[in-house]
Amino acid sequence: MYSALSKLSSSSPLVATRRLAAFSTSASSAAQSPINRITVVGGGQMGSGIAQVAATYKHQVTLVDVNQEALDRGQAYMTKSLQHVAKKKHADDSAAQTRFVDEIMGRVSLSTKPADAVSGADLVVEAVVENLKVKQDLFAQLSKAAPETAILASNTSSLPIGKIAEHLDAGCRRRFVGLHFFNPVAQMKLVEVVRTAEADPAAVDRAVAFVKAIGKAPAVCKDTPGFIVNRLLLPYMMEAIRLLERDVASPQDIDTAMKLGAGYPMGPFELCDYVGLDTIKFIVDGWHRDGDGLKGNPLFAPSKKLDELVEQGRLGVKAGKGFYDY
């Protein structure tokens, strides 16, 4: 018996089967392993917010942007936000406030080299400009440098997740999900976890587990325009604008009606200004032009009033003026 077993070579079907089983076990283990190392690509307010929250919950985070100035602004944004939290947690202890901020920021690294930054990541989250080609090109680069077990995720609020991943290989597409955080990330509890038709359920489960691990509430949905929140919110805001266009009521009265009559914390025009009128126009125009199942839908038809305000630079809170002046 020993003699027969000793003659098995590395090309033996039995050995090959054992190796395949070992590899499968290893891959399965990696698929279920917790996410500890995060790379966030995009040093803007959203990317910085995601990095801050992940670091707060003891993850090692690398924040990436090709622009060093953007990284410096992101670092300053995180520090200021954490200082605000620290003052609430340790109101009468300045030393404790400093320790709180330093401990969390000590888990955040900055990088201008995306490929290097993702090489050891368990999760890669993209939070760059809402441009399909930009996101596709970015993931074409990142997918080659990230580990084969890393979850790849986009924070897009309006673009199809499947479209962003469509040029990646099958293995990457199985590990690709949407992780749609809401702004400001530190305060907003919800994260939409978006599954494509090709997504491996284990990858979705890992993404959900990560969301819970950073103190957020996941809502899982399939890859559809607007996911859950924006699919419901955009028609609401657009209908409010059309009421204004028809001279039914003023923005102030419409906002008051929805806050006091429907119990909403913000009225639709306050919300429009907070989201950004240019952002709303970009999303609605795109859905009306070629949205899956939404093309030509009158709910998302262009609005003359919205177009005028955007053209005038009245973009909302970020511009100091929108439907209201700030």
Side-chain angles (χ1 to χ4, degrees):
M1 181 64 133
Y2 172 80
S3 174
L5 289 174
S6 67
K7 292 179 181 179
L8 285 172
S9 70
S10 61
S11 60
S12 161
L14 178 59
V15 174
T17 299
R18 286 173 175 168
R19 286 181 175 171
L20 179 59
F23 174 80
S24 299
T25 300
S26 175
S28 175
S29 176
Q32 299 301 326
S33 62
I35 290 171
N36 297 310
R37 295 164 296 178
I38 321 297
T39 298
V40 181
V41 184
Q45 191 174 62
M46 184 62 74
S48 300
I50 296 169
Q52 175 192 325
V53 170
T56 298
Y57 282 83
K58 303 190 183 304
H59 293 80
Q60 293 298 320
V61 183
T62 303
L63 181 64
V64 183
D65 201 293
V66 294
N67 186 321
Q68 183 61 49
E69 290 182 359
L71 286 176
D72 293 340
R73 288 193 298 270
Q75 186 177 45
Y77 172 84
M78 287 185 284
T79 300
K80 183 177 179 179
S81 177
L82 287 169
Q83 287 171 341
H84 182 71
V85 176
K87 287 179 182 178
K88 289 185 175 181
K89 289 177 68 71
H90 307 286
D92 302 318
D93 190 339
S94 59
Q97 292 174 23
T98 300
R99 287 195 302 271
F100 175 83
V101 175
D102 289 349
E103 179 185 348
I104 294 172
M105 289 303 295
R107 290 191 282 270
V108 179
S109 302
L110 306 179
S111 176
T112 56
K113 299 178 179 179
D116 292 345
V118 302
S119 62
D122 300 316
L123 169 66
V124 178
V125 182
E126 162 272 312
V128 302
V129 63
E130 285 286 88
N131 180 291
L132 180 61
K133 182 68 162 57
V134 170
K135 292 178 187 290
Q136 288 175 333
D137 290 347
L138 176 63
F139 276 111
Q141 176 189 4
L142 300 180
S143 63
K144 293 180 176 66
E148 292 184 355
T149 55
I151 300 296
L152 305 175
S154 174
N155 180 59
T156 182
S157 61
S158 63
L159 298 173
I161 301 300
K163 280 284 187 183
I164 297 172
E166 69 179 349
H167 299 307
L168 303 180
D169 65 42
C172 290
R173 295 198 303 272
R174 285 193 292 271
R175 294 182 281 112
F176 204 102
V177 301
L179 282 180
H180 180 213
F181 290 79
F182 291 78
N183 194 30
V185 179
Q187 298 173 31
M188 298 297 281
K189 189 78 172 177
L190 179 68
V191 179
E192 291 175 319
V193 181
V194 186
R195 65 177 191 274
T196 68
E198 295 183 85
D200 184 338
V204 176
D205 288 346
R206 286 185 78 199
V208 168
F210 166 72
V211 170
K212 292 179 179 178
I214 60 171
K216 301 296 184 186
V220 181
C221 67
K222 74 175 187 178
D223 189 13
T224 190
F227 314 137
I228 300 171
V229 174
N230 283 340
R231 183 63 173 271
L232 295 172
L233 207 56
L234 265 296
Y236 164 68
M237 291 191 287
M238 291 304 295
E239 282 301 293
I241 295 172
R242 298 191 207 288
L243 286 177
L244 177 63
E245 289 177 329
R246 295 196 297 269
D247 199 28
V248 171
S250 69
Q252 293 88 344
D253 284 340
I254 293 171
D255 279 351
T256 297
M258 294 310 296
K259 286 189 289 186
L260 301 185
Y264 287 13
M266 299 175 73
F269 292 101
E270 293 171 323
L271 188 58
C272 284
D273 278 354
Y274 186 80
V275 171
L277 305 193
D278 54 335
T279 301
I280 294 169
K281 174 176 166 55
F282 173 82
I283 296 172
V284 168
D285 287 355
W287 287 357
H288 190 259
R289 184 175 57 250
D290 55 18
D292 183 17
L294 301 180
K295 184 177 180 179
N297 189 318
L299 278 175
F300 306 108
S303 158
K304 182 179 179 181
K305 182 65 174 178
L306 181 61
D307 290 349
E308 288 174 351
L309 290 172
V310 171
E311 186 175 346
Q312 294 166 9
R314 298 184 68 94
L315 307 182
V317 175
K318 62 187 175 186
K321 54 187 178 181
F323 285 104
Y324 298 107
D325 291 327
Y326 298 90

